[in-house]
Amino acid sequence: MDDGVSRLLSSSKTEDRIRAVQRLAASGSADDLKLLLAALRDRSSYVAGLAAAALEDQAPWELCHDLLAAFDYAMAAGPKRDPGCSVRTHLAIALGRHAYAFAADAMRAGVACVQVEYIGGMPVDTAPPLRAACAQVLAEIRHPDALRDIGLLLFELTGSPMETAAARVGAARALARLADAAGATLLAIKLRNPAGEVPEVITECMQALIQLEDERAHEALIPYLSAEELPMAAFAAMTLARTRRVEAALAIADCVDRFRGELQETVVLALARCGVPEARDAVERLAAIGRPGAKRSARLTMEAMGWIAPE
């Protein structure tokens, strides 16, 4: 580190310390990354957040002990030391990148963390991204209690579902990463009982269930073909296609006429991608005797799949 950066780091002016952190982050050298550790405890949470963001992608395994210490320091007085939870979120991601097993207890605390801050005079839980990141770490390190802790997070519906959605999205992704067959059961239960949930979480659960290669995934997904929100139903069709099951193909074929325009084209393409003979038969039937919109969608799909030459 040159003397200029040293002076900036010790400056009483926040803007100087910001410049120092930016220069150290851009350098990326091992020595400069170590110097960023001190900035994690800067009196400005913005400066600390910049340092944590730089370390998220660049910190080597050798710094994990120090990253964990900084995480624990922030957890001890979250609203004061890490308002917004951005520092701990970045640090958790960095620890997860190295699957740092010694972080298990801290990550379990992070998964359960709720940090209420007043923004615009209103109480807001700022910790959902932190909970999501910690869940991912537990999955990465294959902690024995990971399934339980992540599963509890998936079903957490405290506060505003929209404001806390990031935590449950993270839980769904963590279950997929954990690759435990029991996780598919949790996801299926969530999908079969979605009361109060937001679409972002539902669609993430659909994808996670498919990633786990659950043989009964179609049972949880088929009901969503009847969803009132047509974009949700179309997404369910595309996800169902990845099961490559006859039941999925037949269910998608039965719902094609619910859609119009681009959504209908999406659903017919999903049908074709089911990859079973019944799916191709259904698309060809739509092209021959379907309603005008469905006929057009089927023709476009057949061209896209290379089944017929473009007109």
Side-chain angles (χ1 to χ4, degrees):
M1 177 182 67
D2 60 50
D3 291 341
V5 174
S6 179
R7 287 193 297 272
L8 291 173
L9 274 178
S10 59
S11 172
S12 61
K13 296 181 179 179
T14 302
E15 57 267 31
D16 287 342
R17 302 197 305 280
I18 289 174
R19 288 167 55 201
V21 168
Q22 290 173 335
R23 288 172 63 175
L24 291 170
S27 164
S29 74
D31 289 340
D32 286 348
L33 290 176
K34 289 180 181 178
L35 290 170
L36 286 174
L37 294 172
L40 293 173
R41 302 190 183 195
D42 194 275
R43 57 185 174 275
S44 165
S45 62
Y46 182 74
V47 175
L50 287 177
L55 289 165
E56 174 187 322
D57 293 325
Q58 300 185 63
W61 187 91
E62 291 76 15
L63 293 186
C64 282
H65 175 79
D66 298 294
L67 298 181
L68 179 56
F71 184 96
D72 289 338
Y73 174 81
M75 279 293 287
K80 177 182 178 181
R81 296 173 179 171
D82 185 21
C85 302
S86 65
V87 171
R88 281 166 290 170
T89 300
H90 288 306
L91 294 178
I93 295 171
L95 292 165
R97 188 163 57 84
H98 294 291
Y100 191 63
F102 296 105
D105 289 343
M107 296 302 104
R108 293 192 68 203
V111 163
C113 178
V114 175
Q115 183 163 304
V116 178
E117 302 176 46
Y118 283 84
I119 300 175
M122 299 294 292
V124 176
D125 177 10
T126 60
L130 171 62
R131 297 197 289 275
C134 291
Q136 186 68 28
V137 180
L138 290 176
E140 291 285 352
I141 65 179
R142 300 294 191 270
H143 189 269
D145 286 325
L147 181 67
R148 178 188 292 258
D149 291 333
I150 297 169
L152 289 171
L153 182 61
L154 180 67
F155 287 90
E156 173 194 87
L157 276 173
T158 58
S160 164
M162 184 62 70
E163 289 178 356
T164 59
R168 297 185 302 284
V169 166
R173 291 174 180 170
L175 286 174
R177 179 62 180 166
L178 189 61
D180 187 320
T185 299
L186 295 174
L187 291 163
I189 293 172
K190 181 74 170 179
L191 289 169
R192 292 296 293 268
N193 299 275
E197 194 51 273
V198 299
E200 180 183 4
V201 176
I202 295 300
T203 55
E204 198 66 47
C205 287
M206 291 182 186
Q207 295 183 88
L209 194 59
I210 295 299
Q211 285 180 258
L212 288 172
E213 300 181 350
D214 179 48
E215 292 186 357
R216 297 179 60 184
H218 62 287
E219 296 176 9
L221 298 180
I222 285 174
Y224 284 92
L225 296 175
S226 302
E228 290 184 15
E229 302 84 0
L230 292 180
M232 169 73 79
F235 186 90
M238 291 297 291
T239 310
L240 261 172
R242 293 166 61 188
T243 67
R244 303 181 72 82
R245 294 184 67 99
V246 172
E247 299 95 326
L250 296 178
I252 295 171
D254 285 343
C255 78
V256 167
D257 287 334
R258 292 194 67 210
F259 304 88
R260 297 291 182 273
E262 292 184 1
L263 283 180
Q264 188 175 67
E265 292 173 16
T266 296
V267 171
V268 175
L269 181 59
L271 174 59
R273 287 179 173 171
C274 285
V276 294
E278 290 83 355
R280 179 162 182 163
D281 292 344
V283 174
E284 291 176 344
R285 187 162 55 251
L286 286 170
I289 60 174
R291 294 180 180 179
K295 276 188 175 182
R296 179 179 180 278
S297 295
R299 291 284 304 182
L300 290 173
T301 291
M302 293 170 72
E303 292 175 6
M305 298 294 291
W307 296 350
I308 60 173
E311 291 185 349

